[in-house]
Amino acid sequence: MRDRLDGLWCDEDFADWYPRDGRPGLSPAQLATVCVLQFLLGLSDRQAAEAVRCRIDFKYAMAMELDDPGFHHSVLADFRDRLAEDDRADRLLDLALARLKEAGLVRERTTQRTDSTHVLAAVRDLTRLELISEAVRAALEEVASTSPHLLGEPVEEDWGRRYGRPVRLGKNPTKPKTRILATGNDAVRLLEHLYRLTADHLVGHFDRWPADELAGVMLGAFFACGDAAYRAHGDALMEQQAAVAGPESWPWMGWLASARAEQGRVREAHGLAGRALALYPSSGVAVHALAHAEHELGAGRACTDFLDQWLRTDPQAVQARHLNWHAALQSIACGDFPDARRRADTALARRDVGMRAATNWRLLLAGQSPAGRSDPDHVRELLTAPGGMAEAFHTFNLALALAVESATDDLHILARRAAADARPEFHEVLAPVVQALAEITAGRPRAAVNLLSGLGEKTERIGGVRVEREIIQDTLARALIDTGEHARAAGLLHHRTTTRRHHTYENLLLAARVPASVPGPR
């Protein structure tokens, strides 16, 4: 092909892929050619980049000098992201087919396949499996070389086989999806183990250096290791160290405010967050704690105005999207549904599936139109990714996204997967919650009531924080209304309707109507 053509593509074919004020560092035509060769030969990104560096046939196909060093393998993943946008891949393959016909390399009146989907999917799956496996192997090697004593508990016999040497995938690796999920679970297990060790270390560290603010940043290890006893210990340690630090330490006041908000001690949380912001107005931890406290108080427009003002001073703040989500919840609380939809559509990114789903499900429960929705195929892809079933709260958020789309069949499948999972938080809590969502999207609120009524405080085991888990209570309340049990629903939300300044959302949850605001099953 190289003998008859200069190449399948030229760089001008990619002119609209890159900004006009600068040229890409590498030839996009060459990168596209590598993707084709990578698919044909079943190579991973690392193997393809190595072939470009070492193999003469690759260099010849791409018209490269023999001493050209090639490129880093990560460039291919970025290029595929661009390639997957809109219909770019199909347009490129159609262009290649036209040039092959002109050169007489493809006969007329024969069928030629130019669908690029299978090409991209195959390369992406191989790359994902290699990436996850190599990441776990690198983490294990780093810990083994610096602190080998830390690896006693989580390492199993077959980890040596899986991670003892660099991953080299053949053209058709066996069971790639199963291997991806198993490797993802190994990664979560390793991280939770290291979080526990970090938490254990922090106890001794604070004995030697009380109220150390740098060490305070790592207190999240107590909550990330997935153990209720560790979480309680972390709360107690935070109380102790904040008392040592005193009220003039804005970091400790901010962390303590976050703990108070999660404990339901809302007014204390509000005061502590205000104290931290008075000492240091740019504290993202404190403003986040304040947002949680004001959600419990039903502050409404006053909170959204404050959050908008704070974000104007630092529009690139790490918490910007999450704080806009909190503002959207305040808008829902006081009935400003257009503002909630606007924030979901403009402030949240495609990857913010959980926050978008939580916003839209609340809107649907209240009988309102949702904001722009997540792509169901994207949600399904996330569920099959290594982290899709690694942590209950993440899976719960993906279930909400499916519920917004009324993907009843997908929810039934996910509920069965959760029920078959050995972890208690999955089969005892997540499974009935997901099944209840499936029943609601299928128009069976009574079945949802039966599933959710017996959970009670067990829902805490699903993870997340109070404001995030509250949506399970909302779902039960709406299902009770749809089955005619208004008194039970009102009792369920009594605390919120009597303590929150703005509770238009709760009033709408309790309003009788034909239960058709949630679309029918797909």
Side-chain angles (χ1 to χ4, degrees):
M1 191 168 60
R2 177 68 187 161
D3 292 337
R4 301 283 296 274
L5 289 169
D6 242 357
L8 287 174
W9 303 283
C10 58
D11 287 345
E12 287 72 19
D13 297 330
F14 303 81
D16 61 340
W17 291 30
Y18 297 91
R20 295 192 175 192
D21 56 354
R23 295 187 59 189
L26 296 167
S27 164
Q30 290 180 342
L31 292 176
T33 304
V34 173
C35 285
V36 173
L37 296 173
Q38 182 181 6
F39 168 72
L40 292 174
L41 299 176
L43 302 178
S44 69
D45 282 358
R46 288 179 183 272
Q47 291 168 333
E50 183 69 8
V52 171
R53 188 176 71 84
C54 299
R55 289 178 52 167
I56 292 178
D57 53 347
F58 268 63
K59 291 184 182 291
Y60 180 72
M62 292 182 287
M64 296 173 66
E65 298 292 335
L66 290 179
D67 59 352
D68 193 309
F71 48 80
H72 192 268
H73 65 87
S74 61
V75 171
L76 289 171
D78 176 72
F79 179 77
R80 278 196 305 277
D81 286 342
R82 295 178 185 270
L83 188 61
E85 291 180 15
D86 302 322
D87 59 346
R88 287 174 171 177
D90 288 329
R91 283 191 282 122
L92 281 184
L93 289 179
D94 287 342
L95 186 58
L97 180 59
R99 288 174 179 165
L100 289 170
K101 285 182 179 179
E102 288 177 8
L105 296 173
V106 174
R107 291 178 298 169
E108 295 289 341
R109 295 188 175 87
T110 58
T111 300
Q112 305 297 331
R113 179 176 181 174
T114 61
D115 180 10
S116 64
T117 305
H118 67 299
V119 180
L120 293 174
V123 173
R124 185 180 292 117
D125 279 347
L126 297 184
T127 302
R128 181 184 295 162
L129 176 53
E130 181 192 46
L131 174 65
I132 298 298
S133 301
E134 284 292 285
V136 175
R137 186 178 72 85
L140 287 168
E141 286 189 349
E142 180 67 21
V143 177
S145 64
T146 57
S147 307
H149 61 285
L150 300 181
L151 291 179
E153 179 185 327
V155 175
E156 299 177 347
E157 270 187 42
D158 61 346
W159 281 32
R161 175 179 56 81
R162 295 212 293 266
Y163 308 116
R165 59 184 180 180
V167 177
R168 292 293 181 265
L169 298 174
K171 185 171 183 179
N172 295 302
T174 58
K175 299 181 178 178
K177 296 291 187 186
T178 302
R179 290 168 64 182
I180 285 173
L181 292 173
T183 306
N185 288 333
D186 289 345
V188 171
R189 183 176 176 187
L190 176 62
L191 287 173
E192 288 181 346
H193 174 67
L194 295 176
Y195 281 134
R196 284 194 293 273
L197 294 174
T198 301
D200 294 341
H201 175 77
L202 284 173
V203 175
H205 180 92
F206 284 123
D207 285 342
R208 296 180 64 188
W209 293 285
D212 179 7
E213 292 177 355
L214 288 177
V217 174
M218 295 187 288
L219 279 168
F222 284 93
F223 310 97
C225 63
D227 187 306
Y230 269 88
R231 185 170 190 135
H233 195 174
D235 280 342
L237 186 63
M238 184 180 295
E239 296 268 358
Q240 179 190 62
Q241 298 304 309
V244 172
E248 298 305 311
S249 171
W250 64 264
W252 282 106
M253 292 302 100
W255 293 323
L256 186 58
S258 297
R260 288 283 189 267
E262 183 59 14
Q263 293 163 357
R265 298 160 68 174
V266 181
R267 297 200 179 277
E268 289 181 59
H270 196 278
L272 288 165
R275 173 68 179 168
L277 288 168
L279 293 167
Y280 184 63
S282 296
S283 172
V285 172
V287 78
H288 186 205
L290 189 72
H292 276 263
E294 297 210 327
H295 176 82
E296 298 288 347
L297 296 170
R301 176 59 63 189
C303 182
T304 60
D305 289 345
F306 171 78
L307 292 176
D308 286 341
Q309 180 182 1
W310 190 87
L311 286 168
R312 279 194 291 271
T313 65
D314 187 7
Q316 302 303 317
V318 174
Q319 306 92 339
R321 299 198 312 279
H322 190 70
L323 292 178
N324 263 294
W325 177 68
H326 273 283
L329 295 190
Q330 291 288 358
S331 294
I332 291 174
C334 61
D336 190 353
F337 303 114
D339 183 68
R341 287 190 287 267
R342 176 187 65 80
R343 292 177 187 275
D345 288 336
T346 60
L348 299 184
R350 182 173 184 263
R351 63 182 178 273
D352 297 323
V353 174
M355 290 188 286
R356 182 180 302 280
T359 304
N360 279 335
W361 188 244
R362 283 176 168 89
L363 287 167
L364 288 170
L365 289 176
Q368 305 299 313
S369 300
R373 300 174 177 180
S374 298
D375 178 5
D377 288 335
H378 180 222
V379 177
R380 295 181 186 108
E381 183 179 344
L382 290 173
L383 279 168
T384 59
M389 293 284 286
E391 193 259 336
F393 183 67
H394 175 64
T395 309
F396 167 62
N397 279 323
L398 296 179
L400 282 179
L402 292 174
V404 169
E405 297 302 320
S406 292
T408 306
D409 291 343
D410 291 276
L411 288 167
H412 281 305
I413 293 169
L414 181 56
R416 288 195 292 270
R417 287 178 63 190
D421 197 293
R423 291 167 290 182
E425 65 271 24
F426 276 76
H427 66 259
E428 293 179 9
V429 184
L430 181 64
V433 169
V434 176
Q435 185 62 40
L437 293 174
E439 300 295 348
I440 286 177
T441 60
R444 295 189 289 267
R446 169 54 61 192
V449 168
N450 294 337
L451 287 160
L452 296 177
S453 293
L455 291 178
E457 294 184 357
K458 283 185 182 179
T459 56
E460 292 185 8
R461 291 160 54 191
I462 212 167
V465 295
R466 291 165 60 95
V467 62
E468 294 165 328
R469 294 190 301 270
E470 191 177 81
I471 201 167
I472 300 174
Q473 187 181 64
D474 301 345
T475 303
L476 174 56
R478 187 62 238 176
L480 285 167
I481 291 296
D482 289 340
T483 56
E485 297 192 57
H486 187 277
R488 279 185 65 191
L492 191 66
L493 301 184
H494 176 74
H495 176 74
R496 287 155 61 175
T497 56
T498 56
T499 61
R500 295 185 178 179
R501 180 180 177 188
H502 292 281
H503 46 81
T504 299
Y505 170 63
E506 285 78 10
N507 292 344
L508 287 171
L509 287 179
L510 297 174
R513 62 176 184 273
V514 177
S517 55
V518 177
R522 293 182 180 180

